[in-house]
Amino acid sequence: AGFLAARLHQVIPSDLMNLNLTLRPQAGAFAGKTRHRHRGFTLVEMLLVITIIGILAALVVPKMMGRSEQARQSAARADIASIKTALDAYEVDNGSYPKTLADLLQAPRQARNWRGPYLDKIPQDPWGNEYLYTQPGRQNATSFDLSSIGPDGKAGTEDDFGNWTAK
């Protein structure tokens, strides 16, 4: 404080005119003290989101895995039911079941009172296989057997099901 007081009395008015007093900060004066906020995500935020997605996937995926196969089996059972309805309608009209599923689409020679077509087309099972039709059936000796060979594509295995199996 003593130095300033000693120096103030030596200032002469002409020196005051040459002083360049500005209150503006110089360029870069606060550059190191301000934070520039960049838009985006930090590595920690990204890792947190990936971890949460991984946990959700670990919980949901096992529950959904069996659903697609279950949906295919339900679709096959629905197809068998609709083909069975068409076969029953054929039997009512003609007195017997058809020899092949193709008889549901075009009148066979032996049909007495054919009023079809009973189906628009003969569907394939959800695994891309033809439905198996036998008349008279081995499981249903008085009518017919209608079945899907299932996902393995082989007849006579455990995954087969037909109009005689429990739902």
Side-chain angles (χ1 to χ4, degrees):
F3 172 76
L4 283 177
R7 181 79 175 121
L8 279 177
H9 76 279
Q10 294 177 354
V11 175
I12 54 174
S14 64
D15 289 339
L16 290 174
M17 295 304 239
N18 293 331
L19 287 176
N20 187 7
L21 298 174
T22 58
L23 297 177
R24 288 180 289 162
Q26 293 179 350
F30 295 106
K33 296 179 183 175
T34 61
R35 289 187 76 173
H36 294 285
R37 180 78 175 151
H38 295 287
R39 293 180 187 235
F41 300 106
T42 66
L43 180 61
V44 173
E45 290 169 333
M46 293 295 286
L47 289 174
L48 182 64
V49 168
I50 290 171
T51 302
I52 291 171
I53 290 172
I55 290 170
L56 289 174
L59 294 173
V60 172
V61 168
K63 292 183 180 186
M64 298 303 290
M65 290 301 288
R67 298 290 183 178
S68 63
E69 193 60 32
Q70 184 181 10
R72 285 188 181 112
Q73 289 177 359
S74 295
R77 290 186 197 287
D79 283 347
I80 288 173
S82 68
I83 296 170
K84 181 183 179 314
T85 301
L87 289 166
D88 289 340
Y90 181 98
E91 193 271 334
V92 166
D93 290 344
N94 296 288
S96 65
Y97 287 103
K99 299 288 183 215
T100 67
L101 291 179
D103 293 345
L104 296 173
L105 302 177
Q106 291 185 349
R109 292 183 189 184
Q110 75 274 10
R112 294 176 285 164
N113 197 18
W114 193 83
R115 293 188 181 149
Y118 297 92
L119 290 173
D120 293 331
K121 64 177 186 168
I122 300 169
Q124 289 186 331
D125 73 6
W127 301 278
N129 304 309
E130 299 291 328
Y131 286 101
L132 301 179
Y133 172 73
T134 54
Q135 192 279 323
R138 289 185 210 120
Q139 304 292 327
N140 300 309
T142 59
S143 60
F144 61 89
D145 290 348
L146 181 62
S147 63
S148 168
I149 57 176
D152 69 357
K154 297 176 185 173
T157 58
E158 289 184 14
D159 66 343
D160 298 356
F161 55 91
N163 62 331
W164 66 88
T165 57
K167 294 182 181 178

